[in-house]
Amino acid sequence: MDQTQRSVAAAANPRTYQFHLARAAITDLFNLYLVGSSRQKADDSIREPPNKTQKRVLALNRELPPRNEQFLLDFEQLQTQFGDQDQLRSVTESVLISLVIQCCSHVPRAEFLLFALRSLCSIGYINWDTLLPSLLSSVSSAEVPAGQGSQGVPSVSSTSLSQSANPVSTLTSHVIGSPAQSTIEPSSGATLSLVKSSEPFTTSMNSSIRDNDISNLRQLCCKIILAGLECNLKPVTQAEIFYYMLNWLVKWDHRQQENGECNGKPWRMEKALIEWLHSCLDVIWLLVEEDKCRVPFYELLRSGLQFIENIPDDEALFTLILKMHRRRDMMAIHMQMLDQHLHCPTFGTHRILWQTTPKVSVEAVANLRYSPITYPSVLGEPLHGEDLAASIQRGSLDWERALRCIRHAIRSTPSPDWWKRVLVVAPCYRGSTQVPTPGAVFTSDMICEATNDRIVELLKLTNSEINCWQEWLVFSDIFFFLMKSGCIDFVDFVDKMGSRLTESDHHILNTNHVTWLLAQIIRVEHVMAALNNDSRKVETTRKILSFHREDSSSDPNNPQSILLDFISSCQNLRIWSLNTSTREYLNNEQLQKGKQIDEWWRQLNKGERMMDYMNMDDRSIGMFWVVSYTMAQPACETVMNWLSSGGVTELLPGAHVQPNERLMVMREVSPLPISLLSGFSMNLCLKLVFQMEESLFAGQVVPSIAMVETYTRLLLIAPHSLFRSHFSHLAQRNASLLSKPGVTLLVLEIVNYRLLPLYRYQGKCKTLMYDVTKIISALKGKRGDHRVFRLAENLCINLILSLRDFFSVKREGKGPTEFTETLNRITIITLAITIKTRGIADADHLLYLQTMLDQILATSQHTWSEKTLRYFPSLLRDVLIGRADKRGLAIQAWQQSETTVINQCTQLLSSSADPNYVMTYISHSFPQHRQYLCAGAWILMQGHPENINSGNLARVLREFSPEEVTTNIYTMVDVLLHHIHMELQHGHSLQDLLLKTCANLAFFVWTHELIPLDILLLALIDRDDDPHALPIVISLLDRQELQQRVKLYCMSRGPPEHWLYTGIFKRTDLQKALGNHLSWKDRYPTFFDDIAARLLPVIPLIVYRLIENDATESADRILAIYSLFLAYHPLRFTFVRDILAYFYGHLPGKLIVRILNVLDLSKIPFSESFPQHIGSSNPAICPPLEYFASLLLALVNNVIPPLNSNSRSGSMGDAFNNSVRGPHNKTTATPQSGPANASEGQKAFYQIQDPGTYTQLVLETAVIEILSLPISASHIVSSLVQIVVNIQPTLIQSSNGLHGASNGVGQGSVLPTSPSGGSTDSSSVGRSTPSVSGINTSSFVSRSGYTCQQLSCLFIQACGLLLAQLPPEFHLQLYMEASRIIKESWWLTDGKRSLGELDSAVSYALLDPTWASQDNTSTAIGNIVALLHSFFSNLPQEWLEGAHVIVKHLRPVI
């Protein structure tokens, strides 16, 4: 390239040109030191091969490279030649990584590269946190055999080092574009061959040479890492190094296995392999060094390294593995019982951690099988893999552990997504070729036993006169789901249920609930096959019939009683129709009773098959439920007839619509009440859903709101059995359905305004977001399709804001997002809220975060204000704070185009404008001018919006693409804010300017409905660093037009709990609901959509922004005005919880109370004394300890998994203690049957859609209470810790009627902090049984249903779980409290004690609280360690920072 060409290239893209220039210079500098002058090397390469004499002469005369000490001076001189030091740093690191891979097998070059790295590090030029992850990623890519990687990357320099006569590497090197690039997947660049492609030996390279190169590369990489560890690396970098090292160790023999070199014979390790193994071990030992604790030692235990099958014959690695086994065994001895309690998820949070696996890509995360039984922890082994699960014996500890988890899942109803990840098909339903299922699973026998336990439990509740019909309904949904999934062997289930009810629990079957339950599933394919074809069908049928009992209800007209009275008849009729060979065993009485059902049905219908479902008495309801089991198809037809009984009417076309096509709409009737639907058989529900979908999405008539509402109610009633992901479901049913006019709109409305919480509960929000993003991507550049686009965008906003765990912004995980600018900004806000309020659960997600941000910011130019960023978590703030603000450039671009734009707008928008100019403008104006249309109209208004031609403006905006309208709004906001500043400089009044601004915006939004209000408000709050943006927002929200619109919406939509509404829904006129801009030529009517409803996700974001800008009074007022409206927010409970956590410590008490009032307080399980504490006139007073103890008790009763099944006497904890420790020498309390809170009743999903389950509701309510208290985090944590460390003696004293004195925590407490055991002077330690002052625990034990020994350890678990949900401010306080207690232990301060005393002390102090409470020898240390164990078991990975405060004090423990 000559000088002219270089100049042209530099002018075209100066940054790219500088990049290549810097890369060439850096490469030449390294080449100079690695192989001498490049010129000499180039000359040598073109000569003929010399003889030996010539070689000797050349060697003597060859120019030698400079001394190493000169390198740093040369580099600093080169550094001064480039202005962009960040780019130069990036290029330097990229070149270094490539050279490391090339030179790994050449010792002198490798040593020089180490020297160069250390030299550059000495001047602070190396960023280890970017270099090391990129190096490891490149090494991993380079190890891919040739042919598996991509090809054809340009070499590092024109004189490649590989052309030297020196040894070369057979590896491939990935060019690193930027050190900040993602380390999860290989660089997008192709590979660089380090040997000439023309050389013949490349393709036939011996595998042993390649293995040697890999060993050399890993050895050099470890040396570089060891150099980097001398600096303070970020925790994420240390974790990345750690997992790479573990992966290398676990797969140390991978190459030999691939090459078939083992063949069952001992394989001798080569020297190079031994060297990198030892270096790898050096890195790991340095990472887990206790003084530094870069990575906790328990991460080694989680890794599974100690279980690798082929352990090499190497003493150093064996030493590490032995250390891991010893550490694990030491912990297991003392904490097995407690860990047994922690091995079961509580389902109190939406996030369920999976067992640690090798590093997986973001795309594969969605397919991981969750670990159902254990959190990743130090102790015990999970049931991981079907083969291992099947080998577990009934009655063993692992069996009981598994059953505890399943029982708790059946009670607390986690989403079907969780069930699908832990279930396997029963062996009898599995094909012969199906391989065992990997991952953590439950066996069919485990599911079967837990299901039987739940049935017996519900029968006992029923017999105790407790109304638990709702519990039966919830269980029947799960039972149907489990049976249909094939994870329960039906014949085996009936056999075991029969044995259970005729032997051990024969006295509890007094009702027909079991018969009703079996009637629900009798049409499931597996069940019908068993009753028709199984060899045991006769025996199975007889057992099914044996469950029948005569109804003995005191209220014979109760619908449930009628159903249970006739259900045996229904069952007999069904079995009679299934198989002739079993008819002789049927009950003739029950068959004859079936005639009563037929007679009632004939009398009721009289041939018309029409029922008035709104005026049915209890007997009619009960009988119709019965009919749903015997005649599902006729029942389905009557329901469909009712929903269409209003007839149809023609929808008149609007003013802008051509009346060439008739649109028929169903007239409205009342939807079926949910109380009636809940008793329908599952078979009828399935038929109804199918028929309704046919009518809703494939019919020729627009359905009524009543039909849509009834359809959504059915899905809410049985979320496990009836849920379907609508876009994929409809595409599978008929691929052309979604292309029909109105179908996409209807699906979007149903999901956005009715089923959003259901999708979140199912874990399908991310999948739905990807589906909706496809619609948005297809429409955002399409002219005129605004209605579908804006509805899809609003749904996507709701979906993104609903996500409270990490997510990939693209399904495939690569490339820029397909989001709009608005969605990109919302995604950043959601990430900030999630990271700050929930943490990031997995280290892999931390690694992907930078890639995700790059994907978002690649298409977004927005910068967030300093006030917004100060509340962002540091992970995001550090990335975003350096972004350049392009607003000044945008204003300059506007000023340059202003004259042209104003001229065009004058022609287009003047009152006398030529109508034909509209199409001219649309067809011929430039895009860079069209984006200023609204800004130009704004300037022309001059405070008098009536002066412009609103008709032409509306027409043009409708013809724009949706993304062009969005750009116009964002640009107009920037221009109007700039215009206000300019007018202020000319002496205009700010108040007048703001009034004119609001009047102009009202013209755009309300008078002529030209632009969407929600996007305008979002654009304004995103400019909150301008002092006038938020006042404009507040003024718009204060306007009567908006408040009247919101009031009208609330009146026309009925109550927020739409599923309870029994009246007739009123359909709002399309134009009135959506305005001119969105409705325009559209005819398809709305169902639930409305301009006001689009604001539901926007107002919470406005409140966030007001608080960030210290406008708390304005935030309070906005919440007061719109509190009734926010009742329609589908996730308002989540909003309250997250805003309290996000701004913890920055909210005034008055605003906290206002935020809480967004909730329906009567339906939230707040503590009885909570209102008093938040409304206290003296906020400095800490609530009494009894308040915090009551919070923990609520978690024990409703969130923590019960220790035992209610159907059994005794607890598995007691059984385990007795078996391990032998008979106890003192009387123990009689074990209780579990939590005594059944009277509260189980809630259906539709009653607690946010947060989704009752366990989540109770846990999150406790979090809200803690965050709302007007006291500091230190006071709260201190109170909780004080309760926990004294909990066992407090409860024991209470149960024995004793009252101890008040005691503090730590060494001053009478709780022994030094143990007996090997101590000769243990008698000097207090052994009295203390209690915590301020707690009246007399009723705690009785309210929980546990013994005091059981309750004490569950209190500790509940406290750890609660603290793990709170923001990091609370965690730091916990670490400080724990450190104080631990430091006061004598084994850390008394160096005179013998080793035997120290060992005994540690063992005694760590006794599990269950054992210690039974012995009345609990210690403060034992309890605090148990609390930390529970805490860390529930803590997200990203929130582990700060734990180093206590690690050094726990050294004797961990």
Side-chain angles (χ1 to χ4, degrees):
M1 181 184 290
D2 58 23
Q3 186 63 34
T4 305
Q5 290 173 318
R6 288 194 185 96
S7 301
V8 172
N13 195 339
R15 182 168 178 81
T16 303
Y17 178 74
Q18 287 295 320
F19 171 82
H20 291 296
L21 197 62
R23 188 173 186 82
I26 294 294
T27 303
D28 287 343
L29 176 62
F30 276 102
N31 281 348
L32 176 65
Y33 280 84
L34 289 170
V35 294
S37 70
S38 57
R39 179 181 304 169
Q40 177 72 40
K41 184 177 172 188
D43 291 342
D44 291 345
S45 67
I46 61 175
R47 294 176 183 170
E48 292 294 326
N51 59 32
K52 294 182 180 179
T53 307
Q54 287 174 321
K55 283 185 178 179
R56 189 179 302 116
V57 172
L58 285 173
L60 291 172
N61 293 318
R62 184 173 182 175
E63 181 182 345
L64 295 174
R67 295 172 59 86
N68 287 356
E69 292 75 8
Q70 181 68 23
F71 171 77
L72 196 56
L73 296 175
D74 290 346
F75 183 84
E76 289 176 336
Q77 183 178 0
L78 182 148
Q79 184 181 354
T80 60
Q81 300 174 21
F82 296 92
D84 191 342
Q85 293 301 310
D86 288 336
Q87 186 185 58
L88 186 64
R89 185 198 306 271
S90 171
V91 170
T92 303
E93 293 181 2
S94 173
V95 171
L96 272 168
I97 291 171
S98 297
L99 292 176
V100 165
I101 296 174
Q102 293 180 66
C103 302
C104 61
S105 297
H106 190 286
V107 175
R109 291 178 181 172
E111 291 297 330
F112 171 75
L113 290 175
L114 277 173
F115 170 81
L117 274 167
R118 291 183 180 276
S119 300
L120 294 175
C121 180
S122 67
I123 61 172
Y125 203 75
I126 291 296
N127 184 349
W128 293 105
D129 289 306
T130 56
L131 174 70
L132 293 179
S134 297
L135 172 64
L136 289 167
S137 177
S138 298
V139 168
S140 177
S141 301
E143 291 179 358
V144 177
Q148 293 184 21
S150 51
Q151 300 295 324
V153 166
S155 60
V156 173
S157 68
S158 59
T159 57
S160 174
L161 293 170
S162 64
Q163 297 177 5
S164 168
N166 293 303
V168 294
S169 170
T170 64
L171 303 173
T172 53
S173 172
H174 283 244
V175 177
I176 308 299
S178 168
Q181 197 166 331
S182 170
T183 58
I184 287 183
E185 54 196 32
S187 169
S188 58
T191 57
L192 165 66
S193 176
L194 300 180
V195 182
K196 287 183 179 179
S197 59
S198 60
E199 294 183 7
F201 64 84
T202 301
T203 57
S204 60
M205 183 66 63
N206 189 293
S207 62
S208 64
I209 298 177
R210 177 175 176 79
D211 291 340
N212 190 66
D213 287 336
I214 291 175
S215 296
N216 291 331
L217 177 57
R218 291 183 175 181
Q219 167 81 352
L220 179 57
C221 189
C222 288
K223 289 181 179 180
I224 294 173
I225 290 171
L226 289 170
L229 287 174
E230 296 175 5
C231 302
N232 292 324
L233 302 182
K234 291 181 179 179
V236 174
T237 308
Q238 294 166 354
E240 177 79 349
I241 295 170
F242 182 76
Y243 289 120
Y244 267 102
M245 297 298 105
L246 285 178
N247 191 50
W248 289 356
L249 288 177
V250 170
K251 299 181 179 179
W252 71 273
D253 61 343
H254 182 62
R255 298 285 173 189
Q256 286 68 46
Q257 291 177 353
E258 281 185 348
N259 299 331
E261 296 180 15
C262 291
N263 298 323
K265 300 178 181 179
W267 181 77
R268 186 174 181 82
M269 295 174 62
E270 296 182 359
K271 180 181 177 182
L273 174 60
I274 295 174
E275 287 179 348
W276 78 253
L277 270 176
H278 288 181
S279 296
C280 192
L281 291 172
D282 290 340
V283 173
I284 287 180
W285 281 117
L286 205 57
L287 286 171
V288 299
E289 185 181 5
E290 291 182 353
D291 289 338
K292 300 286 187 181
C293 193
R294 297 177 177 92
V295 175
F297 194 91
Y298 61 74
E299 287 295 326
L300 269 177
L301 300 170
R302 290 178 55 191
S303 68
L305 175 63
Q306 69 269 38
F307 302 115
I308 59 175
E309 295 180 2
N310 189 15
I311 300 179
D313 184 14
D314 182 75
E315 183 179 351
L317 182 57
F318 181 77
T319 301
L320 175 64
I321 293 175
L322 183 61
K323 174 72 172 176
M324 293 167 64
H325 278 291
R326 285 176 174 171
R327 186 74 70 94
R328 178 184 172 276
D329 291 343
M330 182 181 72
M331 292 292 287
I333 289 172
H334 302 294
M335 302 188 72
Q336 191 172 14
M337 269 302 299
L338 176 65
D339 210 60
Q340 177 187 334
H341 305 157
L342 297 180
H343 270 76
C344 178
T346 64
F347 306 113
T349 171
H350 67 286
R351 177 185 293 132
I352 303 170
L353 303 178
W354 50 78
Q355 182 67 21
T356 301
T357 58
K359 291 174 67 61
V360 249
S361 65
V362 174
E363 299 90 329
V365 166
N367 300 317
L368 286 174
R369 294 182 70 83
Y370 289 147
S371 171
I373 300 162
T374 183
Y375 293 99
S377 82
V378 177
L379 309 170
E381 294 307 315
L383 303 185
H384 194 71
E386 186 178 353
D387 293 336
L388 180 58
S391 69
I392 293 173
Q393 296 182 358
R394 187 183 302 271
S396 66
L397 177 61
D398 279 331
W399 180 274
E400 292 297 334
R401 189 181 285 170
L403 285 189
R404 183 181 182 217
C405 182
I406 306 170
R407 291 182 192 123
H408 189 53
I410 291 174
R411 291 189 190 101
S412 55
T413 62
S415 74
D417 181 60
W418 182 85
W419 284 107
K420 289 172 184 175
R421 294 176 189 269
V422 302
L423 298 176
V424 290
V425 176
C428 62
Y429 303 136
R430 187 178 305 174
S432 58
T433 59
Q434 189 169 344
V435 297
T437 307
V441 296
F442 294 124
T443 64
S444 176
D445 288 341
M446 294 173 182
I447 299 290
C448 181
E449 182 169 335
T451 304
N452 282 332
D453 285 344
R454 180 58 174 167
I455 292 173
V456 170
E457 185 179 34
L458 289 175
L459 286 173
K460 289 180 178 178
L461 287 174
T462 303
N463 293 338
S464 63
E465 302 299 327
I466 293 175
N467 182 7
C468 56
W469 179 243
Q470 185 62 61
E471 280 87 340
W472 281 106
L473 291 175
V474 172
F475 175 66
S476 71
D477 178 33
I478 298 175
F479 183 61
F480 183 91
F481 169 77
L482 294 175
M483 195 62 72
K484 189 174 182 181
S485 301
C487 64
I488 298 179
D489 181 341
F490 175 71
V491 175
D492 182 59
F493 167 78
V494 172
D495 182 59
K496 290 178 178 176
M497 190 76 246
S499 300
R500 186 85 173 265
L501 294 178
T502 56
E503 295 172 10
S504 58
D505 294 307
H506 62 89
H507 58 285
I508 65 171
L509 186 59
N510 301 319
T511 65
N512 264 340
H513 284 87
V514 176
T515 301
W516 165 78
L517 200 61
L518 294 176
Q520 287 279 44
I521 62 166
I522 203 166
R523 293 178 184 270
V524 172
E525 181 181 355
H526 297 311
V527 176
M528 293 204 307
L531 294 177
N532 271 318
N533 307 320
D534 193 272
S535 59
R536 297 170 291 174
K537 59 187 176 185
V538 173
E539 181 185 352
T540 301
T541 301
R542 292 179 65 179
K543 286 186 177 180
I544 290 174
L545 296 174
S546 71
F547 298 144
H548 166 66
R549 294 292 183 273
E550 291 297 333
D551 182 67
S552 57
S553 172
S554 58
D555 185 4
N557 289 323
N558 181 285
Q560 300 153 26
S561 301
I562 293 171
L563 174 61
L564 294 175
D565 183 33
F566 279 91
I567 198 64
S568 292
S569 177
C570 301
Q571 187 185 71
N572 275 263
L573 290 169
R574 180 60 186 162
I575 294 174
W576 187 88
S577 66
L578 278 177
N579 198 327
T580 56
S581 62
T582 57
R583 288 181 180 177
E584 61 181 287
Y585 303 102
L586 299 179
N587 187 319
N588 286 326
E589 252 182 64
Q590 294 299 328
L591 291 174
Q592 293 299 319
K593 197 173 182 178
K595 294 181 179 179
Q596 298 181 33
I597 305 173
D598 293 340
E599 182 62 27
W600 179 86
W601 183 249
R602 280 195 299 269
Q603 290 294 327
L604 183 73
N605 286 281
K606 296 179 181 177
E608 297 179 5
R609 293 204 170 173
M610 172 63 67
M611 294 182 64
D612 183 356
Y613 290 98
M614 303 313 298
N615 295 296
M616 296 175 69
D617 57 23
D618 285 350
R619 176 161 181 80
S620 297
I621 291 174
M623 288 305 297
F624 190 78
W625 287 357
V626 173
V627 168
S628 74
Y629 287 84
T630 58
M631 296 178 281
Q633 186 57 41
C636 176
E637 291 173 6
T638 62
V639 172
M640 296 301 293
N641 289 340
W642 163 260
L643 293 173
S644 59
S645 62
V648 295
T649 183
E650 183 177 358
L651 187 68
L652 297 177
H656 303 287
V657 182
Q658 297 296 328
N660 53 357
E661 182 181 352
R662 300 180 67 187
L663 191 62
M664 307 305 292
V665 183
M666 284 186 185
R667 288 193 175 95
E668 290 299 329
V669 295
S670 298
L672 268 65
I674 206 162
S675 58
L676 174 65
L677 293 171
S678 62
F680 286 1
S681 70
M682 197 60 69
N683 184 39
L684 174 58
C685 290
L686 288 168
K687 287 181 178 294
L688 279 173
V689 167
F690 182 86
Q691 288 294 325
M692 287 183 183
E693 286 178 344
E694 192 70 23
S695 180
L696 292 174
F697 307 121
Q700 301 302 312
V701 179
V702 177
S704 62
I705 297 177
M707 182 173 289
V708 178
E709 178 65 29
T710 304
Y711 172 73
T712 60
R713 289 178 184 183
L714 282 169
L715 298 183
L716 294 175
I717 284 172
H720 287 76
S721 304
L722 299 181
F723 175 78
R724 63 273 329 278
S725 187
H726 284 82
F727 284 102
S728 57
H729 173 71
L730 292 177
Q732 291 171 4
R733 188 165 176 173
N734 185 343
S736 63
L737 277 180
L738 290 172
S739 62
K740 284 186 59 178
V743 172
T744 301
L745 280 170
L746 177 55
V747 174
L748 291 172
E749 284 201 40
I750 288 174
V751 175
N752 198 29
Y753 299 112
R754 287 296 186 262
L755 299 182
L756 186 63
L758 178 61
Y759 270 81
R760 187 176 73 160
Y761 172 69
Q762 298 282 343
K764 300 299 182 185
C765 276
K766 296 175 189 176
T767 304
L768 179 60
M769 180 183 72
Y770 300 140
D771 290 336
V772 177
T773 302
K774 285 183 180 178
I775 297 174
I776 292 172
S777 179
L779 294 180
K780 65 182 180 181
K782 186 178 177 182
R783 286 188 175 183
D785 218 337
H786 297 279
R787 181 182 175 187
V788 177
F789 176 87
R790 291 300 171 194
L791 179 56
E793 186 178 48
N794 192 260
L795 171 57
C796 215
I797 290 174
N798 277 315
L799 286 169
I800 293 171
L801 291 172
S802 74
L803 295 172
R804 282 300 174 260
D805 55 0
F806 205 80
F807 62 97
S808 173
V809 291
K810 292 192 72 174
R811 194 194 301 267
E812 61 276 12
K814 298 177 182 179
T817 71
E818 296 175 345
F819 287 168
T820 62
E821 173 67 15
T822 302
L823 296 178
N824 279 327
R825 299 182 185 188
I826 295 292
T827 303
I828 294 293
I829 296 298
T830 298
L831 277 176
I833 296 172
T834 298
I835 295 173
K836 192 170 180 181
T837 64
R838 317 259 177 175
I840 298 177
D842 195 82
D844 283 343
H845 293 165
L846 281 172
L847 300 174
Y848 176 67
L849 179 62
Q850 182 60 53
T851 301
M852 181 178 179
L853 291 175
D854 291 342
Q855 290 177 310
I856 296 169
L857 300 179
T859 56
S860 175
Q861 300 298 319
H862 184 61
T863 54
W864 284 263
S865 70
E866 183 181 343
K867 290 184 178 180
T868 297
L869 288 176
R870 68 176 176 173
Y871 286 100
F872 272 23
S874 58
L875 279 174
L876 281 182
R877 185 170 59 248
D878 294 344
V879 175
L880 299 175
I881 201 167
R883 277 174 65 84
D885 190 349
K886 304 290 182 64
R887 205 172 338 167
L889 297 176
I891 293 300
Q892 288 180 15
W894 153 252
Q895 291 171 338
Q896 292 170 2
S897 306
E898 184 175 5
T899 303
T900 304
V901 170
I902 294 300
N903 286 336
Q904 291 177 342
C905 288
T906 302
Q907 296 180 64
L908 178 69
L909 302 179
S910 64
S911 56
S912 58
D914 182 1
N916 295 324
Y917 184 71
V918 171
M919 294 311 300
T920 304
Y921 179 83
I922 293 171
S923 304
H924 300 291
S925 59
F926 293 119
Q928 63 265 35
H929 294 151
R930 283 204 297 271
Q931 66 176 322
Y932 298 119
L933 173 62
C934 287
W938 173 273
I939 297 298
L940 290 179
M941 285 180 185
Q942 297 292 334
H944 298 284
E946 66 277 0
N947 292 340
I948 69 170
N949 190 326
S950 60
N952 282 359
L953 180 57
R955 228 182 119 193
V956 172
L957 287 174
R958 292 191 202 107
E959 292 291 346
F960 276 1
S961 69
E963 193 68 348
E964 281 183 309
V965 173
T966 300
T967 304
N968 259 271
I969 294 172
Y970 284 122
T971 307
M972 179 183 71
V973 166
D974 286 342
V975 170
L976 74 86
L977 292 173
H978 172 73
H979 188 71
I980 290 175
H981 286 285
M982 297 298 295
E983 293 295 301
L984 286 173
Q985 293 177 10
H986 291 96
H988 292 85
S989 164
L990 175 61
Q991 185 176 1
D992 291 343
L993 290 173
L994 292 179
L995 287 173
K996 288 181 179 179
T997 300
C998 290
N1000 288 354
L1001 291 177
F1003 166 84
F1004 275 101
V1005 175
W1006 298 120
T1007 308
H1008 295 286
E1009 299 168 332
L1010 301 173
I1011 57 176
L1013 175 61
D1014 53 336
I1015 306 301
L1016 174 62
L1017 291 174
L1018 289 172
L1020 283 167
I1021 65 173
D1022 278 339
R1023 290 305 185 207
D1024 62 311
D1025 49 354
D1026 188 291
H1028 311 307
L1030 290 182
I1032 294 173
V1033 171
I1034 295 170
S1035 298
L1036 288 175
L1037 294 179
D1038 282 338
R1039 289 187 71 91
Q1040 286 301 309
E1041 297 100 323
L1042 176 57
Q1043 293 184 21
Q1044 288 296 327
R1045 188 59 177 267
V1046 167
K1047 185 178 179 181
L1048 180 64
Y1049 172 82
C1050 296
M1051 292 173 59
S1052 62
R1053 284 300 179 264
E1057 294 177 329
H1058 59 86
W1059 56 90
L1060 298 179
Y1061 185 60
T1062 58
I1064 297 177
F1065 285 91
K1066 296 179 181 178
R1067 194 189 299 273
T1068 307
D1069 178 74
L1070 175 62
Q1071 195 277 330
K1072 290 181 179 178
L1074 299 181
N1076 294 322
H1077 177 69
L1078 294 180
S1079 60
W1080 195 27
K1081 293 182 180 180
D1082 211 316
R1083 292 190 64 194
Y1084 197 79
T1086 61
F1087 293 82
F1088 316 111
D1089 199 12
D1090 193 278
I1091 289 178
R1094 303 281 180 92
L1095 297 180
L1096 284 171
V1098 176
I1099 289 181
L1101 293 176
I1102 294 173
V1103 174
Y1104 267 86
R1105 203 52 49 88
L1106 290 172
I1107 296 173
E1108 290 165 359
N1109 285 267
D1110 302 319
T1112 55
E1113 289 293 334
S1114 297
D1116 184 283
R1117 190 160 55 82
I1118 295 303
L1119 285 173
I1121 294 173
Y1122 291 98
S1123 60
L1124 293 177
F1125 175 60
L1126 287 175
Y1128 291 85
H1129 195 295
L1131 304 173
R1132 59 173 169 160
F1133 183 87
T1134 300
F1135 159 65
V1136 170
R1137 184 254 189 232
D1138 286 347
I1139 197 171
L1140 292 175
Y1142 192 79
F1143 294 110
Y1144 181 73
H1146 300 277
L1147 297 175
K1150 178 185 174 185
L1151 182 57
I1152 290 175
V1153 173
R1154 181 68 70 189
I1155 292 171
L1156 291 174
N1157 284 326
V1158 170
L1159 302 172
D1160 186 347
L1161 300 178
S1162 63
K1163 296 181 180 178
I1164 308 298
F1166 285 119
S1167 302
E1168 187 177 344
S1169 60
F1170 175 62
Q1172 303 171 11
H1173 299 310
I1174 60 171
S1176 173
S1177 57
N1178 188 356
I1181 299 177
C1182 184
L1185 292 181
E1186 185 168 1
Y1187 165 76
F1188 295 103
S1190 297
L1191 271 185
L1192 297 180
L1193 181 63
L1195 298 184
V1196 168
N1197 283 342
N1198 298 287
V1199 180
I1200 303 299
L1203 288 178
N1204 49 278
S1205 169
N1206 282 358
S1207 61
R1208 305 244 180 140
S1209 60
S1211 71
M1212 61 180 176
D1214 290 339
F1216 178 81
N1217 284 334
N1218 293 335
S1219 63
V1220 174
R1221 309 190 72 202
H1224 214 278
N1225 59 4
K1226 56 178 176 282
T1227 305
T1228 58
T1230 304
Q1232 302 295 318
S1233 61
N1237 61 329
S1239 59
E1240 296 178 7
Q1242 192 172 14
K1243 293 184 179 296
F1245 168 75
Y1246 58 81
Q1247 296 174 300
I1248 45 172
Q1249 296 183 46
D1250 182 29
T1253 67
Y1254 192 69
T1255 50
Q1256 288 177 311
L1257 179 65
V1258 173
L1259 178 60
E1260 299 288 6
T1261 299
V1263 171
I1264 288 175
E1265 287 197 35
I1266 294 292
L1267 296 174
S1268 302
L1269 293 176
I1271 56 174
S1272 66
S1274 61
H1275 283 94
I1276 294 170
V1277 172
S1278 178
S1279 298
L1280 291 171
V1281 170
Q1282 187 176 351
I1283 292 170
V1284 162
V1285 297
N1286 294 283
I1287 187 61
Q1288 293 98 341
T1290 301
L1291 292 174
I1292 292 171
Q1293 280 187 10
S1294 173
S1295 63
N1296 293 334
L1298 300 176
H1299 302 281
S1302 170
N1303 292 284
V1305 180
Q1307 191 69 38
S1309 171
V1310 293
L1311 268 177
T1313 57
S1314 54
S1316 53
S1319 176
T1320 57
D1321 57 348
S1322 60
S1323 59
S1324 62
V1325 181
R1327 283 307 200 112
S1328 60
T1329 52
S1331 66
V1332 182
S1333 63
I1335 301 183
N1336 179 12
T1337 56
S1338 58
S1339 63
F1340 272 24
V1341 175
S1342 61
R1343 285 160 58 193
S1344 71
Y1346 292 109
T1347 65
C1348 55
Q1349 288 87 353
Q1350 294 170 329
L1351 182 59
S1352 59
C1353 84
L1354 292 181
F1355 253 75
I1356 295 174
Q1357 186 181 351
C1359 187
L1361 174 65
L1362 176 60
L1363 287 169
Q1365 312 307 312
L1366 299 172
E1369 292 93 330
F1370 290 86
H1371 306 163
L1372 295 176
Q1373 296 299 324
L1374 173 62
Y1375 300 149
M1376 293 171 63
E1377 281 287 308
S1379 299
R1380 182 176 64 81
I1381 295 171
I1382 294 168
K1383 281 191 294 186
E1384 292 172 355
S1385 303
W1386 62 257
W1387 65 69
L1388 291 175
T1389 56
D1390 189 353
K1392 299 177 182 179
R1393 301 282 183 159
S1394 67
L1395 184 61
E1397 286 181 306
L1398 181 59
D1399 288 342
S1400 176
V1402 175
S1403 300
Y1404 182 93
L1406 295 183
L1407 282 177
D1408 173 78
T1410 305
W1411 293 358
S1413 64
Q1414 290 179 349
D1415 295 332
N1416 197 17
T1417 56
S1418 61
T1419 64
I1421 298 298
N1423 286 353
I1424 201 67
V1425 170
L1427 174 62
L1428 291 172
H1429 190 50
S1430 172
F1431 172 73
F1432 285 123
S1433 295
N1434 294 284
L1435 196 66
Q1437 182 83 19
E1438 183 251 339
W1439 278 358
L1440 283 173
E1441 290 193 42
H1444 65 276
V1445 176
I1446 60 169
V1447 167
K1448 61 181 181 181
H1449 302 303
L1450 281 174
R1451 249 178 280 161
V1453 178
I1454 63 170

